[in-house]
Amino acid sequence: MFNVRNGEIYMIKLKTFGSFTVGNDITSVQEGAWRSEKLEKLFVYLAINRNRGVCIEDISKAIWQVEEETDNPVGALKNLAYRLRKALRDASFDEECIVSVRGGLYKWNDDVEVTIDVEEFDRYINEAEMAFCRSKETAIESYEKAIALYHGDFLPLRTDTHWFMTLNAFYHSRYVNTVKALAKLYIDTGCYEKLEQLCTKAVVYERSDEQIYSYLILARMRTKKVQMAFDTYETAKAIMDKDLGVRKTVMLNKVYEELLSVTKGVSSYNID
């Protein structure tokens, strides 16, 4: 969205990875500042669905838990929308982001442009997948841009309704798959330092994925950090075994054999 003030245009961005933040070059609102998670949820829901009008029933399901359902959803949403407009004004946003349209629908103001991190994330991944067959370098660049946007799960403290929980799970899965796709490209191009950096960050957000740990061990082997590779293996094995009850770890066992061969001066094969 744009905020025109004194002839200047300020781009406002909505960030949802890790926590809620909305801001521009002159002001911002952090998660919890409005002291109402429903205000944040309404803002996010309307922004993501900004290309259409949404009915009161759909908004209510996205924002209110089942046990919170009200006898007067029309009035409750009208009050919430009023509070959100006021909160935006109090935070020095001049835009009227929300407009009511005929038929009881609520809609984002078409004159207000918004950039959202999850949409940028999707766009970079799509660009990478399209570029993959033509240029690995271009695919890597686009995947890296997507990964750089990810600072944690989609609104992790706002997953008490189905709509938000679904997006949370979707983007977590998409992040993990993107890490693996980029990891394979790093291996193909011999970028093991980058592979280590990628997987070190990834295991913070996904600590139970055997394949990512295997890539991390491989990266540390290839960069001659053998002891760190052994330590990573032990950590991963403990998580798989004790925390998850997974005793058959095919990929970890394979990379462990590779690690042992490295210590003996014989490197046999790569991980698929």
Short mmCIF file of all heavy atoms in Angstrom, two decimals, residues 2 107 177 195 218 237 241 254:
data_model
loop_
_atom_site.label_atom_id
_atom_site.label_comp_id
_atom_site.label_asym_id
_atom_site.label_seq_id
_atom_site.Cartn_x
_atom_site.Cartn_y
_atom_site.Cartn_z
N PHE A 2 0.36 2.34 -0.43
CA PHE A 2 1.13 3.56 -0.50
C PHE A 2 0.53 4.60 0.43
O PHE A 2 -0.68 4.73 0.57
CB PHE A 2 1.13 4.13 -1.93
CG PHE A 2 1.86 3.26 -2.90
CD1 PHE A 2 1.18 2.35 -3.68
CD2 PHE A 2 3.22 3.36 -3.03
CE1 PHE A 2 1.84 1.55 -4.57
CE2 PHE A 2 3.91 2.56 -3.92
CZ PHE A 2 3.20 1.65 -4.70
N LYS A 107 -13.99 -5.46 2.26
CA LYS A 107 -12.96 -5.56 1.23
C LYS A 107 -11.84 -4.57 1.50
O LYS A 107 -12.07 -3.48 2.03
CB LYS A 107 -13.55 -5.29 -0.16
CG LYS A 107 -12.58 -5.63 -1.30
CD LYS A 107 -13.25 -5.44 -2.66
CE LYS A 107 -12.33 -5.91 -3.78
NZ LYS A 107 -11.04 -5.21 -3.78
N ASN A 177 10.68 -27.54 2.04
CA ASN A 177 10.90 -28.04 0.68
C ASN A 177 11.84 -27.13 -0.10
O ASN A 177 12.65 -27.61 -0.92
CB ASN A 177 9.57 -28.17 -0.05
CG ASN A 177 8.71 -29.30 0.49
OD1 ASN A 177 9.22 -30.26 1.08
ND2 ASN A 177 7.40 -29.20 0.33
N LEU A 195 25.84 -24.13 1.81
CA LEU A 195 25.01 -25.25 2.25
C LEU A 195 24.99 -25.32 3.77
O LEU A 195 23.93 -25.53 4.39
CB LEU A 195 25.53 -26.56 1.66
CG LEU A 195 24.78 -27.83 2.08
CD1 LEU A 195 23.33 -27.79 1.60
CD2 LEU A 195 25.49 -29.07 1.53
N LEU A 218 27.00 -33.29 5.64
CA LEU A 218 27.75 -33.30 4.40
C LEU A 218 28.51 -31.99 4.20
O LEU A 218 29.69 -31.99 3.83
CB LEU A 218 26.81 -33.55 3.22
CG LEU A 218 27.45 -33.51 1.83
CD1 LEU A 218 28.43 -34.67 1.66
CD2 LEU A 218 26.39 -33.52 0.74
N LYS A 237 20.86 -37.80 15.51
CA LYS A 237 20.49 -39.17 15.88
C LYS A 237 19.68 -39.17 17.17
O LYS A 237 18.68 -39.90 17.30
CB LYS A 237 21.77 -40.00 16.05
CG LYS A 237 21.52 -41.49 16.23
CD LYS A 237 21.02 -42.12 14.95
CE LYS A 237 20.93 -43.64 15.10
NZ LYS A 237 20.32 -44.26 13.91
N ASP A 241 15.87 -40.46 17.43
CA ASP A 241 15.64 -41.64 18.27
C ASP A 241 14.83 -41.31 19.51
O ASP A 241 13.73 -41.85 19.73
CB ASP A 241 17.00 -42.23 18.66
CG ASP A 241 16.85 -43.56 19.39
OD1 ASP A 241 15.72 -44.06 19.49
OD2 ASP A 241 17.86 -44.10 19.86
N LYS A 254 23.69 -43.27 6.06
CA LYS A 254 24.48 -43.17 4.83
C LYS A 254 25.55 -42.09 4.95
O LYS A 254 26.71 -42.30 4.60
CB LYS A 254 23.56 -42.88 3.65
CG LYS A 254 24.27 -42.85 2.30
CD LYS A 254 23.27 -42.63 1.18
CE LYS A 254 23.97 -42.60 -0.18
NZ LYS A 254 23.02 -42.37 -1.29
#
